Amino acid sequence: LHYLSILWAVALMCHAPQRIFWMIGVPLFIYAADKLVEGMFKTHLIENCHFQRLGETSCIVEFENPSGFGKQNSAYVYLMLPWVNKYQYHAFTVFPSSKPNHSTCCIYKTGDWTGELLRNITVPAHKPAFVVGPYLSPFSSPAMDSENLVAVASGIGVTPAFSLIRQYSLTSRRLNLVWICRDP
């Protein structure tokens, strides 16, 4: 529904004074160019993602990093599973896998899409997926270069901390992780 704002902006540009073009047309052009670059260079079809269920409420997705994916220690990706829904992309934190040149996403059941994913994954399986990204997360900021770090996470949001722990485990830096969980 929020994509209707693009249609509204185009209609406004066509019917409004010339200065509206500069206020709406230029940002709309930048948005379209960004989506074009994302579609051409950041979208990867992974033919053989490994899906494994972890209990009743979560699963883990592991895939080989495609060329150009980079070695991001703390990032997120958009994941589209054509066998769940061909039109929905969902953001998930990605962290390095224990296998070299592989990445992992941890998915927790929170809605219809993740519920359908868990219904389809009853045993470990290899299925295709589209991965868009990676995009840097807040854990990739220059503030992370400090000697003493305090990372605060809640629930499944602890996933980016996995890459921090791995990244700083062999250094002299100190990392304090505060993980807040709901009491069931």
Side-chain angles (χ1 to χ4, degrees):
L1 185 65
H2 59 279
Y3 285 118
L4 288 177
S5 63
I6 296 171
L7 182 64
W8 175 83
V10 170
L12 186 62
M13 281 188 339
C14 294
H15 298 292
Q18 187 174 5
R19 68 175 179 245
I20 293 292
F21 173 77
W22 296 108
M23 292 170 44
I24 294 177
V26 173
L28 188 63
F29 173 76
I30 292 170
Y31 174 79
D34 181 55
K35 286 296 180 185
L36 182 67
V37 168
E38 178 182 282
M40 293 176 65
F41 301 111
K42 285 193 159 274
T43 302
H44 309 281
L45 171 61
I46 312 293
E47 293 282 351
N48 202 13
C49 285
H50 178 71
F51 292 84
Q52 184 171 351
R53 196 168 180 154
L54 303 173
E56 293 298 315
T57 59
S58 61
C59 82
I60 196 159
V61 180
E62 185 176 64
F63 57 90
E64 184 175 1
N65 294 341
S67 61
F69 197 75
K71 294 184 178 183
Q72 306 296 335
N73 281 328
S74 194
Y76 68 95
V77 295
Y78 287 99
L79 196 60
M80 191 274 285
L81 307 176
W83 42 274
V84 173
N85 189 315
K86 293 180 181 181
Y87 305 108
Q88 291 185 8
Y89 287 81
H90 292 268
F92 295 101
T93 303
V94 63
F95 57 95
S97 174
S98 56
K99 292 182 185 177
N101 199 32
H102 281 68
S103 292
T104 304
C105 295
C106 190
I107 301 174
Y108 184 78
K109 181 181 176 184
T110 57
D112 296 339
W113 190 86
T114 52
E116 182 66 26
L117 167 63
L118 288 174
R119 278 190 289 281
N120 282 302
I121 302 296
T122 55
V123 296
H126 292 273
K127 296 187 176 205
F130 284 93
V131 176
V132 181
Y135 300 100
L136 295 178
S137 78
F139 283 114
S140 299
S141 74
M144 301 310 287
D145 294 335
S146 302
E147 287 298 316
N148 295 310
L149 300 170
V150 177
V152 180
S154 64
I156 196 72
V158 74
T159 310
F162 293 156
S163 60
L164 284 178
I165 292 168
R166 182 173 291 151
Q167 182 180 354
Y168 295 134
S169 63
L170 300 175
T171 67
S172 63
R173 295 180 181 172
R174 181 177 174 188
L175 173 66
N176 294 313
L177 175 63
V178 179
W179 185 16
I180 303 166
C181 296
R182 232 184 335 188
D183 191 9

